[in-house]
Amino acid sequence: MASEPRPFVPVRIAVLTVSDTRTLADDKSGQTLADRITETGHVLKARDIVTDDKDKIRERVTAWSLDPEIDVIITTGGTGFTGRDVTPDALEPIFEKRMDGFSEVFHRISYDKIGTSTIQSRATGGVLNATFVFVLPGSPGACRDAWDGILKAQLDYRHMPCNFVEIMPRLDEHLRRGGTKTA
């Protein structure tokens, strides 16, 4: 007996661009993500730009992670090695759990496109306040690679054998059992 196909479940996503120079009008990376999110059937719940400032990045992402209307946060920008590239530095210390596999798969996909230049990105991911957070480079190509090669499938409840959507309700189990927030 064949099982019924799983339904598509829209995920509510916030996009944060980290840049000292971009505005919403000329933010190609954030727009690339926003377009892919809505074209796939998900909900773009919020979109903003903050400067390359650890406190501002951390404040915006933390506020969104506490918003019950946001399931996933994707940042773009600030993952390189220059002095103003601080997004991973702002967010990794506050992740409850790191997602090392996201970075590894992202770099594998990126290597096929740009070769060894992929090592100049500190793309990362993790969980904060039971919300998935993905930290992407600031180029439209990197945003396309991350969405098309990883996030599109993992944010689709129909993707088998497993996906992020099916575990979202359990991301805060450690809190409900009286555990600590640290991994």
Side-chain angles (χ1 to χ4, degrees), residues 132-147:
F132 285 115
V133 180
F134 301 99
V135 180
L136 308 181
S139 75
C143 291
R144 281 191 298 274
D145 291 347
W147 182 266

Side-chain angles (χ1 to χ4, degrees), residues 117-146:
S117 294
T118 189
I119 67 172
Q120 293 189 31
S121 164
R122 296 182 296 144
T124 188
V127 176
L128 176 62
N129 297 316
T131 303
F132 285 115
V133 180
F134 301 99
V135 180
L136 308 181
S139 75
C143 291
R144 281 191 298 274
D145 291 347

Side-chain angles (χ1 to χ4, degrees), residues 6 153-154 156-167:
R6 288 177 154 190
Q154 281 298 301
D156 189 334
Y157 181 64
R158 302 167 296 184
H159 181 76
M160 298 301 282
C162 58
N163 59 75
F164 290 141
V165 179
E166 63 192 356
I167 65 172

Side-chain angles (χ1 to χ4, degrees), residues 45-114:
K45 285 301 283 189
R47 184 169 170 208
D48 201 359
I49 296 179
V50 297
T51 57
D52 295 276
D53 176 281
K54 282 187 198 179
D55 292 334
K56 289 179 182 176
I57 297 165
R58 192 174 289 145
E59 286 169 14
R60 170 53 61 211
V61 170
T62 299
W64 279 348
S65 74
L66 293 169
D67 185 336
E69 295 296 311
I70 294 175
D71 303 309
V72 174
I73 300 164
I74 304 172
T75 72
T76 174
T79 65
F81 290 100
T82 69
R84 297 293 293 163
D85 292 325
V86 297
T87 309
D89 308 297
L91 298 177
E92 283 184 329
I94 63 172
F95 285 164
E96 294 153 16
K97 296 189 181 200
R98 286 187 46 178
M99 191 183 309
D100 295 329
F102 176 78
S103 178
E104 293 164 6
V105 173
F106 173 80
H107 285 294
R108 175 65 183 97
I109 291 166
S110 180
Y111 180 82
D112 289 342
K113 306 268 175 90
I114 64 170

